[in-house]
Amino acid sequence: MSSLNPDRGALLRALAILSGALAVALYCWGLLQVLGAALEAEDGGTDSAPVRPCRTAGPQERGGAEVVDYSVGYVPLRFVCETRGGGSYATDSVPGYVNPGAFGFALAGGLLAVGAGYEAELRARRAATPPGEQTGTTS
């Protein structure tokens, strides 16, 4: 096995931090979208029924006429309109790339952090082994 580059651990840690930061940024962007929709839903007045974020151009049952309430989901991020009769549907308030992107970056960041830890363990084992001794062989 060839020796690992001493900077590989630092690179893996930097990539893990970058990936984690991108996951947090995407999640915050989606959270802003959900909170904006919730603020718009809470805005009372003449044009407040049905709830504005629940007004969609689609089938009649999703047109907003039967919407009685809404809820917000945080994992995954979504704005859900609740209809009369117990039904519900998620609106497109959160862009479609936010939830999978945040999950993907978080997963990649976690895997990169594990890889950085593994590389540090390998480096520590190499440093602890005397130069003339082979590891893992018995006669």
Side-chain angles (χ1 to χ4, degrees), residues 71-88:
S71 62
V72 173
Y74 294 103
V75 177
L77 284 170
R78 64 192 178 283
F79 186 89
V80 179
C81 299
E82 298 170 0
T83 60
R84 192 169 300 156
S88 65

Side-chain angles (χ1 to χ4, degrees), residues 6 9 20 24 26 30 32 37 41 57 60 66 79 84 96-97 102 104 109 113 120-121 123-124 127 135 139:
V24 169
L26 264 178
L32 282 174
Q60 184 62 24
E66 297 293 320
F79 186 89
R84 192 169 300 156
Y97 60 86
E121 177 69 21
R123 189 176 338 135
T135 59
S139 25

Side-chain angles (χ1 to χ4, degrees), residues 29-73:
W29 174 249
L31 189 60
L32 282 174
Q33 302 299 316
V34 167
L35 293 178
L39 281 174
E40 190 175 6
E42 289 295 322
D43 185 25
T46 306
D47 194 28
S48 64
V51 178
R52 277 188 222 127
C54 295
R55 297 177 194 168
T56 59
Q60 184 62 24
E61 66 271 5
R62 290 181 54 153
E66 297 293 320
V67 173
V68 293
D69 202 8
Y70 71 91
S71 62
V72 173

